[in-house]
């Protein structure tokens, strides 16, 4: 009977030792996983900050593009205005040139 009790006690002690080792391993695994999770959270936070910065840069670039488009449109409008002015002046010059030619022709005709 004593031998049996010692055997059961040794078996239980061995089981307790195995369970304690598994618990220690599990706790180490938990610490490792917690550290990995923290690292991933930090990486995710850094990526979110970088994403926000890129969005801000994108907004700034869009603003610059819009500004350049407004400037281009303004210059295009100014060019159109100048072209109309040139056309009007060319028409006036052509009319004056014709009037001068008519006077020259009349002078030659009536001499």
């Amino acid at each position: 009977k004593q031998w049996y009790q010692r055997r059961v006690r040794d078996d239980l002690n061995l089981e307790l030792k195995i369970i304690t080792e598994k618990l220690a391993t599990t706790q180490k695994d938990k610490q490792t996983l917690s550290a990995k999770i923290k690292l991933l959270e930090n990486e995710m936070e850094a990526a979110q900050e970088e994403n926000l910065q890129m969005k801000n840069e994108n907004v700034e670039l869009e603003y610059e593009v819009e500004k350049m488009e407004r400037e281009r449109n303004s210059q295009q409008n100014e060019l159109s205005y100048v072209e109309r002015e040139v056309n009007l002046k060319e028409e006036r010059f052509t009319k004056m040139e014709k009037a001068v030619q008519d006077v020259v022709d009349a002078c030659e005709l009536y001499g």
Side-chain angles (χ1 to χ4, degrees), residues 60-94:
E60 289 175 14
L61 288 173
E62 287 175 357
Y63 172 77
E64 287 298 318
V65 167
E66 289 173 4
K67 188 175 161 185
M68 292 169 91
E69 286 175 348
R70 285 193 301 272
E71 179 64 26
R72 185 197 63 191
N73 290 340
S74 175
Q75 289 178 357
Q76 186 65 44
N77 289 340
E78 189 174 334
L79 177 62
S80 296
Y81 173 78
V82 169
E83 287 174 342
R84 283 192 303 272
E85 287 293 311
V86 167
N87 288 339
L88 287 174
K89 288 180 181 180
E90 284 177 346
E91 287 176 19
R92 286 186 204 136
F93 178 78
T94 302

Side-chain angles (χ1 to χ4, degrees), residues 29-71:
D29 289 347
K30 181 183 172 189
Q31 289 174 343
T32 301
L33 289 174
S34 292
K36 286 180 180 179
I37 289 170
K38 184 66 177 168
L39 184 63
L40 288 173
E41 287 172 347
N42 290 341
E43 289 176 3
M44 191 168 80
E45 186 177 326
Q48 287 173 340
E49 288 175 12
E50 185 178 351
N51 187 31
L52 182 61
Q53 182 179 356
M54 291 173 77
K55 284 182 181 178
N56 289 339
E57 289 172 3
N58 191 31
V59 167
E60 289 175 14
L61 288 173
E62 287 175 357
Y63 172 77
E64 287 298 318
V65 167
E66 289 173 4
K67 188 175 161 185
M68 292 169 91
E69 286 175 348
R70 285 193 301 272
E71 179 64 26

Side-chain angles (χ1 to χ4, degrees), residues 92-107:
R92 286 186 204 136
F93 178 78
T94 302
K95 288 178 184 176
M96 289 174 61
E97 193 175 40
K98 185 177 181 327
V100 167
Q101 187 62 45
D102 288 347
V103 170
V104 167
D105 290 345
C107 287

